[in-house]
Amino acid sequence: MTNKVSIARLVVEQSPSAGPGAHHRLCWVRLRGWNRTLFILAVYIPHVGWGPYREEVLTDMDHVVNQHAKKGDCIMIIGDFNSKLPRGAPGITGKWCVHPEADTGGKHMMRTMASHGLCAASTYFPPKGKYWKCKNKHQVRCYRWGNATYMPPQPTDPEAEMRLPRQIDYMLVSKRWMTSCRSCEVKWEPSMAKFGYRRDHGMLSMVWQFRMRQPKACERRRDFEALNSDPVAATLDYHVQWELWGN
């Protein structure tokens, strides 16, 4: 558990809150990690209805990463992208992605992820579920809503088609450091506390643990190569004779 004071000591650089360079849709910070600096970018991408403004925010996101993320940083882009990524895209998403195909915003995201070496960490972990027993006494896993992060409001007309949950919030992480991500899940407790049921957006929670290489244990060995030199051998003989007979 870290507090605000300890986090403030880890800040290397951060986005301005006002003035030139400030952006009300993007917020980033560079934190000094255990063995790697973290570049964390929080972003909100407007939905498709915003048209050109949506493309402007996506372009600004690419510009911020290219300008402020240093070489070797572990990049994390977290936020509401209002986009759908496809399931099982090699090096991009895992098999626990909700949507089988990508939309227009998802295709733009995939290009950004490919250019910066990112993958959607929230799609590589199975959602929590319950076991239901069948007649043949085998257990079948039921995942209910899966990894969906958004519950759209349902129509008031009982004959209208039900709106399905969507996965439009993601945690994008550098592939190089994906093994440091220990778990990622959607938590609906804040939504339940506010509305009494699952509504609007769920909260993505990720457990991050730095992994480091363990150095190999090496045995110290005596180096006798210097004894091949005549001056060194003569000096050794002199000290041995002094210890034996000099006293």
Side-chain angles (χ1 to χ4, degrees):
M1 182 66 67
T2 58
N3 51 35
K4 294 182 179 179
V5 177
S6 61
I7 292 180
R9 294 175 179 175
L10 301 177
V11 174
V12 179
E13 187 182 3
Q14 62 182 354
S15 58
S17 57
H23 200 295
H24 63 286
R25 299 290 184 182
L26 303 172
C27 180
W28 60 269
V29 64
R30 294 184 71 230
L31 298 178
R32 187 181 299 105
W34 180 259
N35 61 343
R36 185 65 56 178
T37 301
L38 300 176
F39 179 83
I40 304 176
L41 171 64
V43 59
Y44 171 76
I45 305 297
H47 55 80
V48 182
W50 286 79
Y53 180 66
R54 172 187 172 90
E55 298 298 326
E56 179 183 347
V57 177
L58 288 170
T59 304
D60 291 343
M61 182 181 69
D62 295 341
H63 176 72
V64 167
V65 176
N66 291 327
Q67 184 177 7
H68 298 285
K70 308 301 181 183
K71 183 179 180 181
D73 285 0
C74 175
I75 302 176
M76 297 183 183
I77 304 180
I78 306 170
D80 178 7
F81 295 88
N82 278 307
S83 304
K84 301 177 182 178
L85 291 176
R87 183 187 308 120
I92 301 293
T93 60
K95 66 177 182 179
W96 301 106
C97 190
V98 173
H99 307 288
E101 298 180 355
D103 58 1
T104 304
K107 294 178 181 178
H108 191 131
M109 282 183 60
M110 292 176 67
R111 291 193 294 268
T112 302
M113 295 167 67
S115 61
H116 297 292
L118 304 175
C119 62
S122 53
T123 63
Y124 283 87
F125 296 91
K128 290 184 177 180
K130 294 183 178 180
Y131 281 108
W132 300 88
K133 291 185 178 181
C134 298
K135 294 182 179 180
N136 55 3
K137 297 182 180 180
H138 290 289
Q139 290 183 337
V140 178
R141 192 113 185 179
C142 176
Y143 293 104
R144 293 192 175 183
W145 305 114
N147 278 334
T149 61
Y150 177 71
M151 298 294 178
Q154 299 300 327
T156 56
D157 187 2
E159 297 182 359
E161 185 179 358
M162 180 181 178
R163 298 175 180 174
L164 298 178
R166 307 168 191 169
Q167 187 179 23
I168 56 178
D169 306 88
Y170 299 95
M171 286 187 172
L172 312 181
V173 179
S174 297
K175 299 177 186 178
R176 169 67 179 80
W177 300 97
M178 181 58 191
T179 54
S180 297
C181 183
R182 309 306 297 168
S183 66
C184 190
E185 60 178 324
V186 184
K187 295 186 176 181
W188 290 97
E189 286 79 1
S191 179
M192 296 288 291
K194 184 177 181 180
F195 303 107
Y197 59 96
R198 297 186 181 187
R199 179 182 172 184
D200 204 37
H201 290 267
M203 182 181 67
L204 276 174
S205 174
M206 181 174 63
V207 177
W208 186 267
Q209 179 182 4
F210 278 109
R211 301 188 66 180
M212 303 177 61
R213 287 185 178 181
Q214 183 179 3
K216 296 181 179 179
C218 58
E219 182 182 356
R220 296 186 60 182
R221 298 181 179 180
R222 299 182 183 273
D223 185 12
F224 296 101
E225 294 294 331
L227 295 178
N228 295 329
S229 175
D230 294 337
V232 175
T235 303
L236 177 63
D237 292 339
Y238 171 79
H239 284 287
V240 170
Q241 293 179 7
W242 173 262
E243 291 294 334
L244 292 176
W245 310 107
N247 297 331

